[in-house]
């Protein structure tokens, strides 16, 4: 804390699974309770008393925590539930995988829980969020009609069009599988 050294915070999401968050800084400590306060953002290093924030600072802190803590934990849990594969194309490169929200983040039901997530590679995540690709509540992948009719190179043909009609690969654990109502909600948006 005195040297202002950036640290890596490891969050234990499951036994033997640690999600790193960095850089973080220790900004206050309380010797009597042996606890300390971690800032997730450089901005909080200059605050005189980090243990009593103004309303604005508190709002910013909550938003930062969401981005810096909750999102990486969500990503880690979702990708792990799907055995580090894209649920549409089975691509197995962790660094190319993302955790997609089914109910979007902004929706009241858009909680960062595994059953509201899908492990998708970057291209399928983007296509899903752009409603160029839909997933039925019964886990079947559907492509936008126009996209399906287009003629172009191998990414369109193999990466997207050949996914039409494929069934999602689901997590082994039942409680990790995508919520049916959430899928139905998003599928409706795709249909519209
Ligand atoms: Zn994919």
């Amino acid at each position: 804390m005195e040297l202002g050294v950036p640290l890596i915070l490891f969050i234990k999401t499951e036994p033997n699974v640690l999600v790193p968050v960095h850089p973080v800084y220790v900004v206050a400590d309380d010797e009597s309770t042996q606890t300390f306060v971690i800032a997730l953002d450089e901005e909080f290093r200059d605050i005189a008393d980090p243990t009593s924030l103004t309303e604005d600072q508190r709002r910013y802190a909550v938003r930062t925590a969401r981005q810096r803590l909750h999102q990486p934990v969500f990503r880690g849990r979702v990708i792990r539930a799907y055995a580090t594969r894209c649920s549409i194309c089975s691509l197995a490169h962790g660094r190319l995988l993302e955790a997609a929200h089914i109910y979007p983040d902004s929706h009241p039901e858009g909680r960062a829980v595994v059953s509201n997530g899908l492990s998708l590679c970057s291209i399928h995540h983007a296509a899903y969020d752009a409603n160029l690709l839909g997933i039925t509540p019964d886990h079947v992948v559907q492509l936008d009609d126009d996209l399906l009719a287009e003629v172009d190179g191998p990414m369109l043909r193999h990466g997207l069009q050949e996914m039409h009609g494929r069934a999602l690969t689901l997590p082994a654990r039942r409680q990790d599988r995508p919520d049916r109502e959430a899928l139905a909600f998003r599928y409706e948006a795709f249909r519209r």
Side-chain angles (χ1 to χ4, degrees):
M1 181 177 76
E2 281 162 14
L3 297 175
V5 177
L7 301 175
I8 304 173
L9 176 69
F10 289 97
I11 307 167
K12 191 173 187 177
T13 57
E14 285 169 71
N16 302 318
V17 178
L18 300 168
V19 175
V21 176
H22 59 89
V24 302
Y25 304 88
V26 178
V27 290
D29 74 339
D30 182 343
E31 275 181 33
S32 64
T33 57
Q34 300 213 323
T35 57
F36 48 91
V37 176
I38 289 178
L40 299 170
D41 190 309
E42 293 234 17
E43 301 255 332
F44 288 108
R45 295 173 69 187
D46 301 326
I47 292 172
D49 182 6
T51 56
S52 63
L53 301 178
T54 65
E55 199 44 51
D56 276 356
Q57 288 169 334
R58 183 167 296 280
R59 254 199 305 277
Y60 182 68
V62 168
R63 198 167 66 230
T64 305
R66 208 175 161 128
Q67 286 165 357
R68 300 280 319 278
L69 288 184
H70 303 179
Q71 288 308 328
V73 169
F74 175 64
R75 181 184 181 277
R77 285 191 173 141
V78 169
I79 291 175
R80 196 173 143 75
Y82 286 79
T84 317
R85 283 187 179 274
C86 172
S87 56
I88 292 178
C89 68
S90 302
L91 186 76
H93 282 270
R95 279 194 273 184
L96 297 177
L97 297 179
E98 298 170 358
H101 284 80
I102 305 176
Y103 279 122
D105 215 7
S106 53
H107 191 279
E109 297 284 328
R111 291 176 306 138
V113 293
V114 175
S115 60
N116 189 43
L118 290 169
S119 170
L120 295 176
C121 68
S122 304
I123 185 83
H124 291 138
H125 185 185
Y128 187 58
D129 281 356
N131 284 326
L132 290 168
L133 179 154
I135 295 167
T136 72
D138 298 315
H139 315 127
V140 179
V141 178
Q142 291 194 350
L143 249 73
D144 172 77
D145 289 342
D146 291 341
L147 198 67
L148 213 48
E150 229 175 278
V151 178
D152 196 24
M155 179 49 91
L156 179 74
R157 200 165 64 247
H158 301 302
L160 292 166
Q161 290 168 338
E162 284 179 14
M163 299 301 128
H164 186 68
R166 257 173 95 110
L168 278 192
T169 307
L170 297 175
R173 295 197 309 185
R174 188 161 288 276
Q175 70 264 35
D176 290 340
R177 294 184 187 166
D179 180 72
R180 193 182 166 84
E181 275 179 37
L183 287 174
F185 170 84
R186 276 298 288 272
Y187 184 61
E188 234 356 90
F190 165 75
R191 296 266 297 169
R192 278 202 300 277

